[in-house]
Amino acid sequence: MAFWTAVLCALLASILGGLYLLGAFRRRRPTEPPLDKGHIPWLGYALDFRKNSAEFLKKMQRRHGDIFTVLIGGYYFTFLMDPLSFEAIVKAPRAKLDFEAFAVELVTRVFGYHPCKNDHKIIQVSSTKHLMGDGLVVMTQAMLENLQTLMFHNRDSGEERSWQQDGLFHYSYNIVFRAGYLALFGNEPGTGTQSEEKAKERDLIQSEELFDEFRKYDRLFPRLAYAVLPPRDKMEAERLKRLFWKVLSVKNSREKDNISGWISNQEQFLAELGVPEYMRDRFMFLLLWAAQGNTGPSSFWLLLYLMKHPEAMQAVREEVDNVLGEAGQEVKPGSPVINITRDMLMKTPVLDSAVEETLRLTAAPILIRAVVEDLNLKMANGREYALRKGDRVALFPYVAVQTDPEVHPEPHTFKYNRFLNQDGTKKDFYKNGKKLKYFNMPWGAGTSICPGRFFAVSEIKLFVFLMLSYYDLELVNEKEEIPPIDVSRWGFGSMQPTHDVQFKYRLRI
Ligand code: HEM
């Protein structure tokens, strides 16, 4: 009898435990945000969220207002949709809201890298030194040289004087990815003129191959991150991961010239902390992904918007020509390639606004923090909400602010000078009559803000600068509409189009 009682108790306990895990007992407490668990136990709204996060969140916002908690794949996410209240999340101390807990899981799954507790600090220190200030001057120069090698390697062959055709997304992503990769991870070594030419040739070939493999991984990435890859794609992702670990390995990098301080410093820091070499190889893959997965797509969108908006193209072209003129440079036949310095890139308010506008429309990260201890969240309207330990808090600025018509009128229209006042100074943005601190958040915010943002903007601007200075650009079909955003990638940074757009380019001189 006692035996059967024990079995019954164990059964009951496991059923109750199972139901608890499935979220059956969770009820909204009086001070908590509205709770919506959906209809599927444990999964909650995972399928709707995964299908189109932006549409799902807009629907929830209409239903529940500016703060709500939803169940997604076993986790309770509280979404805060009021940008006036973002500060409370962004500035919360790590002891209360932690961004790393979530990142650890993702990074292990997608890069095979097991984070150590100093990673974030190492990234921050190296980025401040090498991707900002004086470090950025060096990186801008390296990026420029590699862009020029890739874009003009057959300049004298006469080939580029006639119209060339390509997909604009493919072209932009390819060039910006490869130039960024070479600027960060170094070039093939070459000594003497002959072998220098050979080294450049090897750079061209190797970076092209790497880009092809990167794109394969890129396409798998959203489903890999959500852990929903079918077995065959999972195997392919595994193959690609191993390939990147090998190509970017510490051992291979020792053979390179011009490896950036950003890469070598971080590798050295990890080595000093005793992180084994095979794990450092994996970290390099993480860095490649973070550094090269967004800038190419963003460059594509910017060029496309400029081509679809002649008044924007004209304004940016004029600015680029003026900056070149002021620096005493001109693009003319037989002249050496132009030199674009960091200083020159600081004198382009119109291009800056066009970049910012492009990112507003096409960069859509989701910021996620784990709630480390129970806490009260104070909203800008004075209301307070209790957040539970173990839940997650999330911001999706693309919906909450970047496309809010009150903050950015006609939010889905590209306006190249949206971020500028008449006198060329930077504009302020308001909601409910209050000035917003967070009105565009392509880089995230707070401790997890993108440490490569200044370099990223330099990369995009250099690319556009060169494209506009050297080439006439036209869409093959001028009437072609701007393609929609691929909604499967919401939350991962720069969005990609559902399909490419054919364009033509020809040397202007
Ligand atoms: C248009 C281009 C880019 C966009 C839109 C972008 C956006 C972002 C965002 C939204 C995050 C994380 C936010 C979060 O988790 O809260 C991030 C992280 C990061 N980004 Fe960027 N990024 C870009 C380019 C770059 C470049 C060029 C580099 C480096 C050369 C870079 C390096 C990193 C790194 C290392 C992290 C992780 C930081 C950490 O975990 O401590 N990014 N980026």
Side-chain angles (χ1 to χ4, degrees):
M1 181 67 189
F3 170 75
W4 288 111
T5 311
V7 170
L8 213 62
C9 286
L11 197 65
L12 201 66
S14 53
I15 290 172
L16 288 175
L19 284 170
Y20 177 79
L21 284 178
L22 292 173
F25 301 130
R26 172 126 171 181
R27 296 279 174 273
R28 179 188 181 187
R29 294 178 192 145
T31 52
E32 286 181 342
L35 173 67
D36 195 334
K37 295 189 284 185
H39 299 297
I40 314 174
W42 191 83
L43 271 183
Y45 282 111
L47 301 179
D48 303 52
F49 185 76
R50 160 98 187 91
K51 197 165 154 208
N52 188 338
S53 314
E55 281 312 311
F56 167 71
L57 290 173
K58 276 191 228 165
K59 192 170 98 186
M60 288 292 130
Q61 189 178 17
R62 282 194 297 274
R63 189 182 293 172
H64 300 295
D66 278 342
I67 184 164
F68 48 84
T69 302
V70 283
L71 176 63
I72 299 176
Y75 287 102
Y76 290 93
F77 282 83
T78 297
F79 278 92
L80 176 61
M81 307 297 282
D82 169 27
L84 286 164
S85 307
F86 279 3
E87 181 115 337
I89 303 292
V90 168
K91 290 278 159 72
R94 241 182 102 179
K96 293 189 185 250
L97 293 179
D98 181 18
F99 92 96
E100 277 184 34
F102 174 74
V104 165
E105 233 174 80
L106 187 69
V107 160
T108 309
R109 184 177 323 130
V110 297
F111 304 113
Y113 177 70
H114 300 284
C116 63
K117 76 173 174 27
N118 289 310
D119 290 344
H120 180 61
K121 188 94 207 124
I122 290 174
I123 293 176
Q124 276 190 327
V125 169
S126 304
S127 303
T128 308
K129 183 157 176 216
H130 297 287
L131 302 181
M132 300 174 196
D134 290 347
L136 188 54
V137 176
V138 177
M139 282 311 300
T140 302
Q141 190 62 30
M143 183 70 190
L144 176 70
E145 281 165 19
N146 284 298
L147 275 173
Q148 287 176 332
T149 303
L150 291 164
M151 290 168 77
F152 309 128
H153 60 98
N154 55 0
R155 186 180 171 210
D156 298 327
S157 68
E159 201 182 294
E160 292 200 355
R161 284 177 205 286
S162 51
W163 285 109
Q164 308 282 305
Q165 187 176 323
D166 203 341
L168 183 62
F169 180 71
H170 174 265
Y171 180 88
S172 313
Y173 203 169
N174 177 291
I175 296 285
V176 175
F177 171 91
R178 291 163 71 199
Y181 158 68
L182 294 169
L184 290 169
F185 289 82
N187 303 100
E188 287 291 318
T191 43
T193 344
Q194 177 61 18
S195 54
E196 247 169 50
E197 280 310 306
K198 281 236 150 55
K200 274 193 180 167
E201 202 56 44
R202 285 200 301 270
D203 274 344
L204 291 175
I205 295 168
Q206 195 255 338
S207 62
E208 178 77 62
E209 286 169 0
L210 197 73
F211 175 70
D212 285 346
E213 301 294 347
F214 187 85
R215 283 292 290 141
K216 291 179 194 159
Y217 194 77
D218 199 13
R219 289 191 190 97
L220 297 175
F221 190 84
R223 285 178 299 146
L224 179 63
Y226 280 108
V228 293
L229 274 183
R232 184 189 282 251
D233 288 341
K234 221 172 170 173
M235 270 164 59
E236 172 67 350
E238 206 49 43
R239 177 190 76 80
L240 289 163
K241 250 190 253 174
R242 286 172 197 283
L243 179 133
F244 283 105
W245 296 341
K246 190 165 163 214
V247 175
L248 305 169
S249 66
V250 175
K251 186 161 155 269
N252 278 355
S253 75
R254 290 198 189 108
E255 318 273 302
K256 297 269 177 153
D257 272 357
N258 310 327
I259 182 163
S260 71
W262 190 63
I263 290 293
S264 55
N265 243 12
Q266 297 188 74
E267 197 274 309
Q268 198 185 334
F269 275 135
L270 288 181
E272 281 164 15
L273 286 171
V275 175
E277 190 167 315
Y278 79 93
M279 204 42 93
R280 302 199 310 268
D281 297 346
R282 296 174 180 201
F283 187 71
M284 292 299 129
F285 180 30
L286 181 158
L287 291 183
L288 178 79
W289 177 264
Q292 299 313 125
N294 294 302
T295 345
S298 298
S299 305
F300 151 79
W301 288 113
L302 174 55
L303 266 191
L304 181 59
Y305 284 129
L306 292 181
M307 287 164 83
K308 290 296 288 179
H309 295 84
E311 75 296 349
M313 179 64 101
Q314 194 187 338
V316 173
R317 251 192 210 287
E318 261 170 34
E319 188 175 70
V320 163
D321 288 346
N322 279 344
V323 170
L324 272 183
E326 273 173 28
Q329 300 191 53
E330 198 186 339
V331 177
K332 51 179 191 255
S335 68
V337 280
I338 52 174
N339 185 30
I340 308 163
T341 60
R342 172 90 191 118
D343 274 354
M344 288 161 74
L345 291 183
M346 308 271 277
K347 295 175 186 156
T348 57
V350 177
L351 180 54
D352 285 334
S353 172
V355 171
E356 183 136 21
E357 175 70 340
T358 301
L359 294 173
R360 179 186 72 79
L361 285 164
T362 59
I366 296 182
L367 281 70
I368 298 175
R369 306 282 189 265
V371 183
V372 181
E373 58 182 51
D374 287 351
L375 61 99
N376 281 341
L377 176 72
K378 193 159 184 191
M379 304 269 289
N381 62 10
R383 289 196 65 170
E384 272 193 41
Y385 291 94
L387 301 182
R388 278 193 215 186
K389 179 179 169 178
D391 285 0
R392 289 164 178 198
V393 189
L395 308 179
F396 189 30
Y398 180 84
V399 169
V401 65
Q402 289 170 214
T403 54
D404 176 347
E406 195 190 334
V407 181
H408 300 290
E410 295 179 69
H412 296 287
T413 307
F414 176 83
K415 298 185 181 178
Y416 74 97
N417 52 2
R418 187 186 289 274
F419 291 85
L420 288 178
N421 290 313
Q422 290 279 343
D423 64 358
T425 53
K426 286 194 177 173
K427 209 171 185 162
D428 293 324
F429 293 87
Y430 295 85
K431 188 171 170 77
N432 298 340
K434 288 191 194 134
K435 192 169 149 187
L436 278 170
K437 182 165 178 195
Y438 302 99
F439 49 82
N440 196 18
M441 297 171 69
W443 316 108
T447 41
S448 66
I449 194 166
C450 173
R453 59 199 182 283
F454 301 108
F455 179 53
V457 171
S458 284
E459 288 183 290
I460 299 170
K461 285 167 70 176
L462 281 174
F463 174 66
V464 168
F465 223 97
L466 289 174
M467 289 300 284
L468 299 195
S469 315
Y470 280 92
Y471 293 127
D472 288 322
L473 305 170
E474 279 178 22
L475 289 181
V476 169
N477 171 8
E478 290 198 350
K479 300 226 159 47
E480 185 162 355
E481 296 289 330
I482 291 173
I485 276 173
D486 171 2
V487 296
S488 70
R489 305 185 75 93
W490 290 125
F492 296 110
S494 294
M495 300 299 287
Q496 298 186 8
T498 52
H499 58 266
D500 209 342
V501 179
Q502 289 295 307
F503 85 118
K504 294 190 294 182
Y505 60 103
R506 179 179 66 179
L507 274 179
R508 277 169 94 189
I509 40 132

